[in-house]
């Protein structure tokens, strides 16, 4: 089919450095224009055509659906009580209320080699070779992987301090089977059906940091280790919040196989209009958390990292106190950065092979202080 594809506008296979994601319609149109109906069956599903380039792991963009909230869901930057869920002690959610998810097809661009950074876009990829632990063993994650994540983040960001305080392991097959982490919470699934979201809001971000200066609550991952001892010194919390701080997720593949199924979609933080945000409440037994959901906007620009390996980590900003959109009364001495947070979601890539292995991943939640 390659000769027919070369007839598409602005398509030169000798100059492309990755591979081309071709939709059925475009491929069939090219075939029809040359009268070669025999190739139609081969074009009936999305594909990637590998194009040789030494040392290149890049892919062209793919197109897939992500779940937004419809226009009927009220937007707000503050809690309304109209949209949310109840989360149990094992970290699983009950029925959502007030939501109206709608699938929207979006283009997702290959983020590899695109020069994306945490401050300018809200996420970045770092190499991180590591003697991996059993990620389904909660004690190993807490005792060995948390310190590794803290060291990684501190070095990569040039920060003074990093506290890892929570994590989720995700696998659809394990979730369906009801698997639970050894000495930990239930395994969760990739958030394809959860929808486009950010993990915190303007209110819940600072509230979550302040909660680290209190005794761990029922759902807090550090409770088995710390008991009633706060993760942060209550005497230091005001001074820590006075400087720059960030809530950051460290996401990685934990399988020996690269991620092909349900990859992580990341929206450029500068492409998110605030007027499209929806506060989603998460009601625990002893506190209320908040996410931002979002309505669709044509301004959103989506990326992903194809074939993520377990020797890579995605740093994902979910709140930055110096993000210019929410930074209160910045003065000449207060430097702001373009991005406060990054909308994200998992997605079902139509180019995924039918026999692709299940995605297995972990994200560790951290607080970073500068």
């Amino acid at each position: 089919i390659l000769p027919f594809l070369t007839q598409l506008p602005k398509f030169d296979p000798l100059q492309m450095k990755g591979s081309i994601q071709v939709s059925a319609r475009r491929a069939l149109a090219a075939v029809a224009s040359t009268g070669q109906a025999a190739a139609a069956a081969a074009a009936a599903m999305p594909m990637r055509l590998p194009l040789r380039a030494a040392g290149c792991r890049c892919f062209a963009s793919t197109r897939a659906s992500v779940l937004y909230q419809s226009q009927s869901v009220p937007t707000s930057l503050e809690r309304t009580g109209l949209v949310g869920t109840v989360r149990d002690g094992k970290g699983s959610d009950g029925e959502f209320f007030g939501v109206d998810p709608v699938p929207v097809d979006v283009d997702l661009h290959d983020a590899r080699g695109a020069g994306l950074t945490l401050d300018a876009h809200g996420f970045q990829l770092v190499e991180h070779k590591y003697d991996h632990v059993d990620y389904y063993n909660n004690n190993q994650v807490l005792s060995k992987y948390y310190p590794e994540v803290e060291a990684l983040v501190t070095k990569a960001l040039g920060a003074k301090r990093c506290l890892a305080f929570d994590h989720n392991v995700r696998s659809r097959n394990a979730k369906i089977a009801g698997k639970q982490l050894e000495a930990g919470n239930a395994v969760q699934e990739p958030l394809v059906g959860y929808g486009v979201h950010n993990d915190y809001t303007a209110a819940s971000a600072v509230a979550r940091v302040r909660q680290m200066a209190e005794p761990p609550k029922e759902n807090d991952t550090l409770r088995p280790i710390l008991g009633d001892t706060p993760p942060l010194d209550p005497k230091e919390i005001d001074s820590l919040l006075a400087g720059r701080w960030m809530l950051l997720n460290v996401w990685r593949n934990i399988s020996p196989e690269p991620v092909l199924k349900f990859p992580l979609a990341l929206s450029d933080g500068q492409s998110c209009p605030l007027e499209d945000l929806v506060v989603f409440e998460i009601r625990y037994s002893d506190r209320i958390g908040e996410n931002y959901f979002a309505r669709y906007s044509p301004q959103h620009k989506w990326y992903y990292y194809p074939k993520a390996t377990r020797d890579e980590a995605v740093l994902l900003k979910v709140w930055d106190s110096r993000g210019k959109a929410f930074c209160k009364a910045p003065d000449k001495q207060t430097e702001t950065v373009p991005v406060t947070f990054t909308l994200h979601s998992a997605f079902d890539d139509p180019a995924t092979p039918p026999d692709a292995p299940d995605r297995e991943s972990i994200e560790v939640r951290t607080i970073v202080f500068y």
Side-chain angles (χ1 to χ4, degrees):
I1 197 172
L2 187 59
F4 309 120
L5 294 176
T6 60
Q7 299 181 31
L8 293 174
K10 299 181 181 179
F11 178 81
D12 185 349
L14 297 179
Q15 295 182 11
M16 296 297 291
K17 294 184 178 180
S19 64
I20 297 300
Q21 179 80 14
V22 184
S23 71
R25 288 184 179 179
R26 293 181 64 191
L28 286 171
V31 170
S33 68
T34 61
Q36 300 296 323
M45 59 186 297
M47 69 191 81
R48 285 196 180 96
L49 298 177
L51 301 173
R52 299 176 182 230
C56 181
R57 293 184 60 198
C58 301
F59 294 86
S61 61
T62 189
R63 188 167 179 82
S65 292
V66 294
L67 286 180
Y68 285 98
Q69 296 303 308
S70 78
Q71 297 298 311
S72 68
V73 179
T75 58
S76 175
L77 296 178
E78 299 178 351
R79 187 189 307 170
T80 65
L82 301 175
V83 184
T85 188
V86 176
R87 184 164 292 175
D88 66 22
K90 294 298 182 181
S92 296
D93 292 335
E95 292 293 327
F96 291 5
F97 59 87
V99 300
D100 183 23
V102 290
V104 179
D105 286 348
V106 297
D107 291 317
L108 297 109
H109 305 280
D110 181 6
R112 294 186 182 277
L116 305 177
T117 66
L118 206 58
D119 282 348
H121 304 92
F123 54 91
Q124 69 184 63
L125 186 72
V126 294
E127 291 189 4
H128 182 226
K129 295 186 182 297
Y130 172 64
D131 293 331
H132 297 277
V133 301
D134 178 1
Y135 295 98
Y136 291 94
N137 184 307
N138 209 52
N139 291 332
Q140 289 191 32
V141 171
L142 294 177
S143 64
K144 298 180 180 179
Y145 188 54
Y146 272 27
E148 184 72 17
V149 165
E150 292 170 346
L152 168 67
V153 170
T154 302
K155 181 178 180 180
L157 274 59
K160 289 183 178 179
R161 185 175 179 184
C162 176
L163 171 69
F165 65 91
D166 193 16
H167 70 279
N168 274 317
V169 172
R170 301 192 185 276
S171 162
R172 172 165 285 188
N173 290 347
K175 173 67 174 179
I176 293 173
K179 185 171 182 177
Q180 188 165 321
L181 303 179
E182 185 176 340
N185 288 341
V187 176
Q188 303 299 322
E189 64 180 330
L191 294 180
V192 177
Y194 193 77
V196 173
H197 70 285
N198 183 65
D199 293 9
Y200 298 95
T201 68
S204 69
V206 66
R208 192 67 179 122
V209 179
R210 285 198 174 278
Q211 287 164 3
M212 293 296 108
E214 303 171 358
K217 295 179 171 55
E218 179 187 357
N219 283 72
D220 286 342
T221 305
L222 295 177
R223 184 174 179 82
I225 295 177
L226 299 179
D228 290 331
T229 303
L232 295 176
D233 187 342
K235 297 178 181 179
E236 296 181 347
I237 191 64
D238 287 335
S239 62
L240 290 172
L241 286 170
R244 183 185 179 185
W245 53 270
M246 183 188 301
L247 287 158
L248 181 82
N249 289 355
V250 179
W251 182 98
R252 82 181 312 136
N253 171 20
I254 60 174
S255 168
E257 301 296 327
V259 172
L260 297 176
K261 185 177 289 187
F262 309 131
L264 181 65
L266 305 154
S267 180
D268 183 341
Q270 293 195 62
S271 70
C272 175
L274 299 185
E275 59 267 23
D276 293 321
L277 297 177
V278 175
V279 174
F280 179 81
E281 295 182 17
I282 305 172
R283 298 176 180 177
Y284 298 89
S285 63
D286 49 9
R287 64 183 178 91
I288 297 179
E290 296 175 3
N291 287 178
Y292 277 138
F293 279 12
R295 292 178 179 177
Y296 168 72
S297 169
Q299 296 182 41
H300 292 162
K301 189 171 184 179
W302 288 96
Y303 291 90
Y304 76 122
Y305 291 100
K307 296 186 177 181
T309 75
R310 65 176 183 170
D311 289 329
E312 300 172 319
V314 177
L315 307 183
L316 171 59
K317 184 192 296 192
V318 288
W319 200 265
D320 191 334
S321 67
R322 290 296 182 262
K324 66 179 182 180
F326 289 88
C327 187
K328 295 183 178 179
D331 52 35
K332 293 182 179 180
Q333 285 72 44
T334 303
E335 294 185 4
T336 61
V337 296
V339 172
T340 304
F341 63 86
T342 305
L343 294 173
H344 52 282
S345 176
F347 70 100
D348 191 357
D349 187 351
T352 301
D355 59 347
D358 190 36
R359 170 186 140 185
E360 298 176 84
S361 65
I362 185 172
E363 74 260 13
V364 175
R365 296 186 175 90
T366 73
I367 307 173
V368 185
F369 298 103
Y370 287 85

